[in-house]
Amino acid sequence: MTRKFFGTDGIRGRTNEPPMTAEIAQRVGQAAGAHFLRGDHRHRVVIGKDTRLSGYMMETAMISGFTSVGMDVVMVGPVPTPAVALLTRSMRADLGVMISASHNPYVDNGIKLFGPDGYKLSDEDELEIEKLLEQPPLLVAAAAIGRSKKIEDARGRYIHFAKSTFPEELRLDGLKVVVDCANGAAYEVAPSALWELGADVVSMGVSPNGTNINDRCGSTAPEALQARVVEEGAHIGIALDGDADRLIVVDEQGRIVDGDQLMAMIAANWAERGQLRGGGLVATVMSNLGLERYLKGKGLGLFRTQVGDRYVLEAMRSRGCNVGGEQSGHIILSDYSTTGDGLVAALQILACLVEGRAPASELLHRFDPLPQLLKNVRFGGGAPLETAGVKSAIASAEQRLQGTGRLVIRKSGTEPLIRVMAEGEDEALVEEVVDSICEAVSAA
C-alpha cells in the first residue's frame, strides 16, 4: 500500500493545507484512536506539542477525534518529543502524540505517534491507520465519548528523568553552558535541568511567541550560538531544535560539532567504561566515512541504515546496540530513551567534558571528516529520480567516485526535495558530482 499521509517521521506539511488541516488532524485522531482501542480498560492518549501557533488548532482537532472514538486525552502542553515518549509509557497510555514539525519553520506542523511502549509506530501500524483514514470513523455511543484534561507537572516529570541520566557522582559546577532552545518545546526544561545540575546557564531562544520557533536559532541555525559562546567565554554551547529531539554542540572556540562527532565521543567513552553494547553504533547512510574509520580504529563497527531515526532505532534493537543516531544530531541512547533526546544526549556530552578535564575543542573533535557536500533540490511533482537524464548523471557520478568516495541520493520524506550527498577524498570532485546531479534533477 502506498503511503498517502505518513512520511519518514510521522505526518508533516504546511498548516491549513493537506495533510496539515484541522479536518485531517481530527481524522488522524479518530483512526489512530480506533486502532489502539484494545481491551476493556479506559483508553488514554497523551498529547504534547511544541510552541508553534498552529499547535492550538491541531491539538483541539485531535482531541475531538480521539474523544469521539472513546479515548480519554491527557494534554501535557509544550514539551520535547522524548517527553511524550516517556510520559506515554510512564502513564500507561495506549498512544502518544507529539504535534510538531521539528526543525521546520512555524508555518509547518506535524503529527508524530508513539505506541504504548513509547516507541514510534511501526510501518505496519502506520499502514493500518492509513487504511482507517479512508473509511468512515468508528464513532462510539454518547455515553462512551472520552474526556480530556491537562496535567501541570509534565515538565517537572521530564526534568527529573533527564537529570537521572546524568552520572550521580558528577556535577556541572563551574561549567558555563550556553543553551539555545530554538524558541521551541525545551524552552523551560533544558535551562532548568542544566541549572539544577550546577551549571552556570546562559539561555537563548527561550521566548516563544508562536511564530519564532527555529527562526535564526536552534540546531539548524547555530550562528548566533557560536558568537554567544565566544562572547560569554563559555565552556560549551548546546543547540536544540524545535521539538528538542536533536542537538548540535559548539565548542569553546565557537566551532560546530555535529552528530557524527558526538556519537563518536559517546561510543568511545561508553566502550571504555564497558557500557557500550552491540559492538559499535548505528547511524544512517549520511554519516561521514571519517566516523566509520574512527570506530574501526577502536575495534568498533558502524552499522548503517536508511535515513530516519526510526530506522536507526529498529537496527539498534535488532543488533542489540545502545548508541545510534544521525549526523544531524538525532542521538538515541536506548539505555535511557526510546527516541532521540537532545537534552539527554547533551548531558552525556557534558559528563564526558567534566570527566575529561580538557576543553571541548580537544574532547569533541574525534576525527577529521572527509569532504562531504549535501544539496537539496526542490521539485514540483512527478518522479525526477526516474528520468533518464537524472539516472545518467547518477551513474556518471558513481563511476567518477569509485574507490575514493560514495554517493547518496534520496527523496525527502517530509518535503518535496531531492537530497544529493557525496563525499570523498577529493573535495573538488565531490562538488562537481553533486552539482551535476542537482542540475539534472532541476532539468527533469
Side-chain angles (χ1 to χ4, degrees):
M1 177 178 173
T2 302
R3 291 169 178 267
K4 181 179 178 181
F5 296 97
F6 286 93
T8 56
D9 194 12
I11 305 171
R12 191 176 300 183
R14 194 178 183 93
T15 49
N16 274 345
E17 296 179 13
M20 276 298 109
T21 64
E23 178 188 8
I24 293 177
Q26 182 186 49
R27 287 169 54 201
V28 170
Q30 291 169 330
H35 180 64
F36 281 92
L37 285 174
R38 301 163 184 176
D40 57 3
H41 63 282
R42 192 71 194 172
H43 291 80
R44 171 188 286 184
V45 56
V46 172
I47 299 182
K49 60 183 179 180
D50 64 23
T51 57
R52 63 194 73 219
L53 181 62
S54 57
Y56 296 99
M57 176 185 76
M58 302 300 288
E59 179 183 52
T60 302
M62 295 203 77
I63 291 170
S64 174
F66 282 118
T67 54
S68 71
V69 296
M71 268 200 165
D72 291 337
V73 175
V74 177
M75 296 173 284
V76 297
V79 294
T81 288
V84 171
L86 169 76
L87 292 166
T88 300
R89 284 183 299 155
S90 68
M91 298 183 70
R92 297 182 66 185
D94 300 277
L95 184 64
V97 179
M98 180 64 180
I99 300 171
S100 173
S102 190
H103 57 280
N104 287 24
Y106 86 94
V107 294
D108 294 340
N109 216 328
I111 299 169
K112 300 180 183 183
L113 300 177
F114 294 89
D117 57 1
Y119 288 96
K120 290 182 179 178
L121 300 192
S122 66
D123 289 339
E124 292 73 22
D125 279 325
E126 290 183 349
L127 287 173
E128 287 301 315
I129 291 170
E130 290 238 356
K131 290 178 183 177
L132 289 171
L133 283 168
E134 302 296 335
Q135 302 170 14
L138 301 173
L139 302 178
V140 297
I145 290 173
R147 301 172 184 269
S148 66
K149 67 177 181 179
K150 184 172 183 178
I151 62 171
E152 301 297 337
D153 65 341
R155 296 176 199 176
R157 291 190 190 198
Y158 176 69
I159 290 171
H160 176 75
F161 154 75
K163 288 167 56 183
S164 74
T165 69
F166 190 74
E168 62 180 12
E169 71 276 10
L170 300 179
R171 290 279 298 172
L172 296 178
D173 297 326
L175 204 65
K176 191 170 189 178
V177 181
V178 182
V179 58
D180 181 351
C181 299
N183 291 313
Y187 76 100
E188 286 190 352
V189 297
S192 296
L194 293 170
W195 183 84
E196 290 177 17
L197 286 168
D200 177 5
V201 181
V202 178
S203 300
M204 302 172 58
V206 291
S207 302
N209 61 15
T211 62
N212 62 358
I213 186 171
N214 301 314
D215 184 11
R216 293 168 292 177
C217 58
S219 63
T220 53
E223 295 81 10
L225 175 64
Q226 290 175 274
R228 189 70 178 272
V229 167
V230 175
E231 176 189 332
E232 294 280 349
H235 295 93
I236 194 170
I238 297 164
L240 304 171
D241 69 336
D243 67 335
D245 65 352
R246 72 163 75 177
L247 84 159
I248 292 295
V249 169
V250 171
D251 69 21
E252 84 284 357
Q253 298 176 5
R255 293 190 300 167
I256 292 174
V257 186
D258 68 11
D260 284 348
Q261 298 281 3
L262 301 179
M263 287 189 289
M265 181 179 186
I266 293 172
N269 182 268
W270 284 19
E272 290 171 6
R273 289 161 37 189
Q275 186 179 345
L276 187 70
R277 298 198 307 272
L281 64 84
V282 178
T284 74
V285 292
M286 304 300 287
S287 279
N288 197 278
L289 275 172
L291 172 61
E292 189 171 335
R293 294 175 179 178
Y294 171 80
L295 293 172
K296 186 177 180 180
K298 291 191 170 293
L300 302 172
L302 177 64
F303 313 113
R304 293 185 184 271
T305 72
Q306 62 180 301
V307 172
D309 63 326
R310 58 183 294 186
Y311 303 112
V312 170
L313 184 56
E314 287 173 5
M316 289 173 65
R317 297 177 77 180
S318 65
R319 287 183 170 274
C321 295
N322 58 348
V323 177
E326 299 183 279
Q327 187 184 65
S328 61
H330 277 112
I331 298 179
I332 304 171
L333 305 175
S334 60
D335 286 358
Y336 307 120
S337 184
T338 56
T339 189
D341 191 320
L343 178 56
V344 167
L347 291 176
Q348 290 300 308
I349 297 299
L350 292 173
C352 293
L353 197 61
V354 171
E355 291 178 319
R357 300 185 184 281
S361 56
E362 292 182 22
L363 288 175
L364 298 181
H365 298 278
R366 293 296 173 116
F367 62 87
D368 293 325
L370 270 68
Q372 186 182 84
L373 180 63
L374 169 66
K375 289 190 176 181
N376 298 319
V377 186
R378 189 168 293 273
F379 65 96
L385 294 182
E386 301 301 317
T387 64
V390 174
K391 286 183 176 180
S392 175
I394 292 173
S396 175
E398 288 176 335
Q399 187 174 13
R400 295 182 68 189
L401 285 171
Q402 192 170 16
T404 64
R406 65 191 187 98
L407 187 67
V408 178
I409 315 292
R410 67 182 185 92
K411 181 181 177 182
S412 169
T414 57
E415 300 175 84
L417 300 173
I418 301 297
R419 304 193 191 279
V420 182
M421 189 277 280
E423 68 178 348
E425 305 284 356
D426 186 336
E427 187 171 4
L429 175 59
V430 166
E431 187 171 353
E432 286 176 17
V433 298
V434 168
D435 286 344
S436 67
I437 295 171
C438 288
E439 289 172 7
V441 171
S442 297

